[in-house]
Amino acid sequence: MAPEGSLPGESSTRGSLPEGSAPTATVGRVKAVRQRFAAALQLASGERIADYTLVYETYGTLNAARSNAVLVCHALNASHHVAGLDASGDPGWWDNMVGPGKPVDTRRFFVLGVNNLGSCFGSTGPMSNNPATNRPWGPDFPVLTVEDWVHAQARLADALGISRFAAVMGGSLGAMQALAWGLLYPQRLAHCVCIASAPKLSAQNIAFNEVARRAIITDPDFHGGRFYDHGVVPRRGLQVARMIGHITYLSDDVMGERFGRLLRGRSEEEAYRYTFDIEFEIESYLRHQGEKFSGYFDANTYLLITRALDYFDPARAFGGDLVKAMASAQCAFLVVSFTTDWRFSPERSREIVQALLACGQPVSYAEIDAPHGHDAFLLEHPQYHRLLRAYFERVAAGCNA
Amino acid sequence: MAPEGSLPGESSTRGSLPEGSAPTATVGRVKAVRQRFAAALQLASGERIADYTLVYETYGTLNAARSNAVLVCHALNASHHVAGLDASGDPGWWDNMVGPGKPVDTRRFFVLGVNNLGSCFGSTGPMSNNPATNRPWGPDFPVLTVEDWVHAQARLADALGISRFAAVMGGSLGAMQALAWGLLYPQRLAHCVCIASAPKLSAQNIAFNEVARRAIITDPDFHGGRFYDHGVVPRRGLQVARMIGHITYLSDDVMGERFGRLLRGRSEEEAYRYTFDIEFEIESYLRHQGEKFSGYFDANTYLLITRALDYFDPARAFGGDLVKAMASAQCAFLVVSFTTDWRFSPERSREIVQALLACGQPVSYAEIDAPHGHDAFLLEHPQYHRLLRAYFERVAAGCNA
């Protein structure tokens, strides 16, 4: 599946390898594994989910000390397929970051990618059969939180015999999971890598999520979330939701550079067509992204995951005091932001950093000057990758990887 | 009708009068006037529109020299009802700016507000009867440009015996019309006042418009623009379109201050409800705005006006050279931007200013430090209103108003 909002071919062509680095290669063909959990999972909402399955992939080898495991958490529309090529030959969403000779080097680390509960790529979610009714869960699937995901991931780690991760990492919503790991399971990770994230959504962030949800929920083909029973998909709503999301993933700058006011299929000198059909390249690009997305993503999952984003607010249990919230962490932190990211601006990452500093936690922070907006976390920007490479040297040293 | 995205009660409670100013009062009850034009209007698209009507309001008195007229151009969802109280008792959308003792003082100026061609508040538009088919124009209404509006406004000025305006002014899309006046009818205005605007839309601006249009066009109740024949309105699409627009009218800051992460109908300490229904205040606010808007605004008009925004690009006829485009102007310019406006940021206003300076045009520029984002142009910010008041003193001196 596609990274959050990358431009076509971008992740494979952008950037270049830092000097002296090892040649890169993907981890090759990978196969997803299903792990069933029979014991019920207690959720933040008060509901419980029994008998669920998580799908995951791993890359590299767990060492004898079981000390070299890295958990990669995914964002809104990604999955367990982080690296290598899946059965369809599609590369993982962070294949430029994870692999032999890559910043998270699978010759040293055992990397785990998990499809989150409630997602639509194999793990139990709204499309799955609800044993209580013997039909798809649909809108009855319980509302989830970032913390619920982390608890589910911890159980998977148990099943894999990983008592402590060398690092838990992610970008965007993935970084929120990494952060929650640091606070919920302080003894189970040595390093927490939070990229392009925020300690909670702003009103504007929630607003964008809400508009996307309204587009989906008000699509007549949504059928109150029971569209599976009707043999339809709320494609129109999903398309609009994705188009909105996509705008927030890209910087104004990079949109201007790539598309500007270019007309679709004609030169700049030619006359406008005076139509509501596609006139500008940016329209064509966005529609294409929306159509592609609506062909593979589950509408109920979109609601669930955006709501988990809205609800994330670790300071809430501490009267809004993020410093108090961070005090329980016992790992080292790397926080990374990108200058042109306006979805989760550098300011939002600095909130995390300042709270960590205020309670004496070890934290490194880098603000990468990259033009790509929020999407930068998925791209192969040299300075960014050099930073992650260096940081994972430190992670490796700490766990004898 | 509501200003672009103001918060409830905002325009009447914000700001305070500059010291020593005259007491403010509205222009009182006003009555819209209909003006029919029998001669066909040639449009930029190549189409012609025959036998159309424009609705307008005026405030103040045209002096004997006919030198004190000010044209106020409206933005996306506003109308000819600029000031005073209409038949329903609703105040005009810029009532804080135009009136006796207000920055544009109707004791001195004769102010004209016109509902643009293609809009839905009385002027000929998609809801009007198409004489060729004897049914509503709907999607057959010709695509319009900012320049088309200006030509239509010039004809209305002719009809009113106004050969030259003391000033043409507007905010946002209204400012684009003012700018086009300066370039198309250089001898027909002494001053051009462009507030919170841009010389053309960016890719991101077009992208937001396109998502809004997709939401409307893909609403099954849109019926290809023929929804009038079906007795329905594409409310869902209009709601989503308005919610998207609304997010771009407000600054992240002001949204955070007003709404933040406040829960709807409960205190911050209470538990989340774990629902896709309204949980946060910002959701309630946006839905309310969307619902209100979908009750009064025409969907075809929304398409037309956003497309006119997309197409505006006066430099296009000059190979993209804005300096060359500006060279034909003969008026003085006031350009105003607001620090937290991210729809049309100060940088975009400075593009206009720099082009004007480069071709030797007289221009004053002010960047107002206001927290309200794009919406600031509609609000009664003291520094902003003081600036406009001072500028209109100069306008008045030039026309013996």
Side-chain angles (χ1 to χ4, degrees):
Chain A
M1 58 251 27
E4 284 215 330
S6 72
L7 303 168
E10 175 135 31
S11 55
S12 57
T13 57
R14 278 261 149 183
S16 59
L17 281 174
E19 286 164 43
S21 69
T24 59
T26 78
V27 296
R29 288 274 167 186
V30 288
K31 208 167 173 294
V33 182
R34 298 170 60 81
Q35 173 77 44
R36 190 174 156 194
F37 297 85
L41 183 71
Q42 178 65 50
L43 304 173
S45 65
E47 295 202 49
R48 293 156 66 88
I49 188 153
D51 195 18
Y52 61 96
T53 296
L54 294 183
V55 171
Y56 67 92
E57 285 181 6
T58 65
Y59 325 101
T61 309
L62 190 61
N63 63 13
R66 297 177 173 273
S67 65
N68 68 333
V70 173
L71 172 63
V72 175
C73 304
H74 69 75
L76 209 161
N77 66 314
S79 74
H80 53 284
H81 183 41
V82 175
L85 303 173
D86 66 11
S88 320
D90 289 328
W93 59 269
W94 223 355
D95 192 60
N96 61 30
M97 181 67 78
V98 174
K102 296 189 178 175
V104 182
D105 192 336
T106 51
R107 296 172 307 192
R108 306 169 84 178
F109 293 106
F110 175 69
V111 180
L112 169 63
V114 192
N115 188 217
N116 281 332
L117 196 62
S119 182
C120 50
F121 299 111
S123 292
T124 299
M127 295 195 299
S128 308
N129 189 64
N130 178 355
T133 61
N134 211 25
R135 60 198 287 223
W137 278 95
D140 297 333
F141 199 86
V143 172
L144 296 166
T145 65
V146 168
E147 288 77 9
D148 292 332
W149 286 330
V150 166
H151 291 307
Q153 289 160 2
R155 283 191 173 188
L156 177 62
D158 293 342
L160 295 172
I162 301 163
S163 59
R164 178 178 160 93
F165 284 104
V168 178
M169 71 186 299
S172 192
L173 175 57
M176 293 174 179
Q177 294 161 60
L179 197 56
W181 262 95
L183 307 181
L184 294 173
Y185 294 102
Q187 295 171 20
R188 297 194 68 173
L189 68 165
H191 291 271
C192 175
V193 179
C194 297
I195 305 169
S197 192
K200 63 185 176 192
L201 294 206
S202 69
Q204 190 188 71
N205 294 148
I206 296 173
F208 277 119
N209 282 346
E210 169 65 3
V211 182
R213 282 191 297 264
R214 292 311 292 166
I216 290 170
I217 289 173
T218 64
D219 183 331
D221 283 340
F222 184 63
H223 293 289
R226 295 245 163 260
F227 53 92
Y228 318 110
D229 301 347
H230 297 78
V232 292
V233 164
R235 278 185 173 265
R236 292 171 293 237
L238 275 167
Q239 284 169 18
V240 167
R242 177 60 168 175
M243 289 169 83
I244 295 167
H246 214 92
I247 298 175
T248 70
Y249 302 148
L250 300 180
S251 70
D252 191 17
D253 284 358
V254 83
M255 256 199 193
E257 255 173 53
R258 292 294 178 91
F259 303 105
R261 298 177 53 84
L262 287 180
L263 301 181
R264 176 71 174 167
R266 46 178 54 193
S267 75
E268 282 200 67
E269 293 71 37
E270 286 182 83
Y272 291 140
R273 267 172 292 214
Y274 299 100
T275 173
F276 301 124
D277 288 337
I278 288 169
E279 177 81 278
F280 296 94
E281 279 288 353
I282 182 67
E283 297 175 305
S284 168
Y285 174 72
L286 276 184
R287 284 200 206 179
H288 173 71
Q289 294 296 327
E291 278 159 24
K292 205 171 63 175
F293 185 72
S294 72
Y296 75 82
F297 207 82
D298 176 63
N300 285 309
T301 291
Y302 201 90
L303 304 186
L304 277 176
I305 298 190
T306 55
R307 207 42 148 177
L309 268 161
D310 293 351
Y311 281 141
F312 183 67
D313 183 5
R316 193 165 193 268
F318 298 87
D321 188 336
L322 190 60
V323 178
K324 281 188 189 151
M326 296 299 195
S328 63
Q330 296 179 28
C331 59
F333 289 84
L334 172 65
V335 178
V336 182
S337 69
F338 299 94
T339 47
T340 58
D341 183 352
W342 63 278
R343 184 181 177 90
F344 297 137
S345 70
E347 193 187 341
R348 310 304 313 280
S349 281
R350 286 196 295 265
E351 290 173 32
I352 299 172
V353 172
Q354 280 152 10
L356 287 168
L357 289 175
C359 59
Q361 303 288 5
V363 54
S364 306
Y365 173 60
E367 192 172 313
I368 305 288
D369 190 4
H372 312 94
H374 187 60
D375 241 19
F377 87 86
L378 292 160
L379 304 177
E380 200 173 335
H381 183 282
Q383 194 193 347
Y384 165 47
H385 271 211
R386 213 175 288 137
L387 170 76
L388 268 288
R389 187 180 293 276
Y391 195 84
F392 273 89
E393 286 292 337
R394 192 172 136 192
V395 174
C399 68
N400 298 314
Chain B
M1 58 246 34
E4 285 216 328
S6 71
L7 302 169
E10 174 133 31
S11 55
S12 56
T13 57
R14 277 260 149 185
S16 59
L17 281 173
E19 286 163 43
S21 69
T24 59
T26 79
V27 296
R29 287 275 166 187
V30 289
K31 208 167 174 297
V33 182
R34 297 170 61 81
Q35 173 77 42
R36 189 172 157 197
F37 297 86
L41 183 72
Q42 178 67 50
L43 304 173
S45 65
E47 294 202 50
R48 293 155 66 87
I49 188 152
D51 196 18
Y52 62 95
T53 295
L54 294 183
V55 171
Y56 67 92
E57 285 181 7
T58 66
Y59 324 101
T61 308
L62 191 61
N63 62 14
R66 296 176 174 272
S67 66
N68 68 334
V70 173
L71 173 64
V72 175
C73 304
H74 71 75
L76 210 162
N77 66 314
S79 74
H80 54 283
H81 183 40
V82 175
L85 303 173
D86 66 11
S88 319
D90 289 329
W93 57 270
W94 224 353
D95 193 60
N96 61 29
M97 180 67 79
V98 174
K102 296 190 177 174
V104 183
D105 192 337
T106 51
R107 297 172 306 190
R108 307 169 84 179
F109 294 106
F110 175 70
V111 180
L112 169 62
V114 192
N115 188 219
N116 282 332
L117 196 62
S119 183
C120 50
F121 300 110
S123 293
T124 299
M127 296 195 300
S128 309
N129 189 61
N130 178 356
T133 60
N134 212 25
R135 61 199 285 222
W137 279 95
D140 296 334
F141 199 86
V143 172
L144 296 166
T145 65
V146 167
E147 288 77 9
D148 292 332
W149 286 330
V150 166
H151 291 308
Q153 290 159 2
R155 282 192 174 187
L156 176 62
D158 294 341
L160 295 172
I162 300 163
S163 60
R164 179 177 158 93
F165 285 104
V168 178
M169 72 186 298
S172 192
L173 175 56
M176 293 173 179
Q177 294 161 58
L179 197 56
W181 262 96
L183 308 180
L184 294 174
Y185 294 102
Q187 293 169 20
R188 296 195 68 172
L189 69 165
H191 292 271
C192 175
V193 179
C194 297
I195 306 169
S197 192
K200 63 185 177 192
L201 295 204
S202 69
Q204 190 189 71
N205 295 147
I206 296 173
F208 278 118
N209 282 347
E210 169 66 3
V211 183
R213 283 192 296 264
R214 292 312 292 166
I216 290 170
I217 289 172
T218 63
D219 184 331
D221 283 339
F222 183 65
H223 293 289
R226 294 244 162 262
F227 53 92
Y228 318 110
D229 301 347
H230 296 78
V232 293
V233 165
R235 278 184 174 265
R236 293 171 292 238
L238 275 167
Q239 284 169 17
V240 167
R242 177 59 169 176
M243 290 169 83
I244 295 167
H246 214 91
I247 297 175
T248 71
Y249 301 148
L250 300 181
S251 70
D252 191 16
D253 285 357
V254 83
M255 256 200 193
E257 256 173 54
R258 292 295 178 93
F259 304 105
R261 297 178 54 83
L262 287 180
L263 300 182
R264 176 72 175 166
R266 48 177 54 193
S267 74
E268 282 199 68
E269 293 72 36
E270 287 183 82
Y272 291 140
R273 267 172 291 216
Y274 299 101
T275 172
F276 301 123
D277 289 337
I278 288 170
E279 177 81 278
F280 297 94
E281 279 289 352
I282 182 66
E283 297 175 306
S284 168
Y285 174 73
L286 277 184
R287 284 199 206 179
H288 173 71
Q289 294 296 327
E291 278 160 24
K292 205 171 63 173
F293 185 71
S294 72
Y296 75 81
F297 207 83
D298 176 63
N300 284 309
T301 291
Y302 202 90
L303 304 186
L304 277 175
I305 299 190
T306 54
R307 207 40 147 179
L309 268 162
D310 292 353
Y311 281 141
F312 183 68
D313 183 5
R316 194 164 193 267
F318 297 87
D321 188 336
L322 190 61
V323 179
K324 281 188 187 151
M326 296 298 195
S328 62
Q330 296 179 28
C331 60
F333 289 83
L334 173 65
V335 178
V336 181
S337 69
F338 299 94
T339 46
T340 57
D341 183 353
W342 63 278
R343 184 181 178 90
F344 296 137
S345 70
E347 193 185 342
R348 311 304 312 281
S349 281
R350 286 197 294 265
E351 290 174 32
I352 299 173
V353 172
Q354 280 151 9
L356 287 169
L357 289 174
C359 58
Q361 303 288 5
V363 54
S364 306
Y365 172 60
E367 194 172 313
I368 305 287
D369 190 3
H372 312 95
H374 188 58
D375 241 19
F377 88 85
L378 293 161
L379 304 177
E380 201 174 332
H381 182 282
Q383 193 192 348
Y384 166 47
H385 271 212
R386 212 174 288 137
L387 171 76
L388 268 288
R389 186 179 293 276
Y391 195 85
F392 273 89
E393 286 292 336
R394 192 171 137 191
V395 174
C399 69
N400 298 315

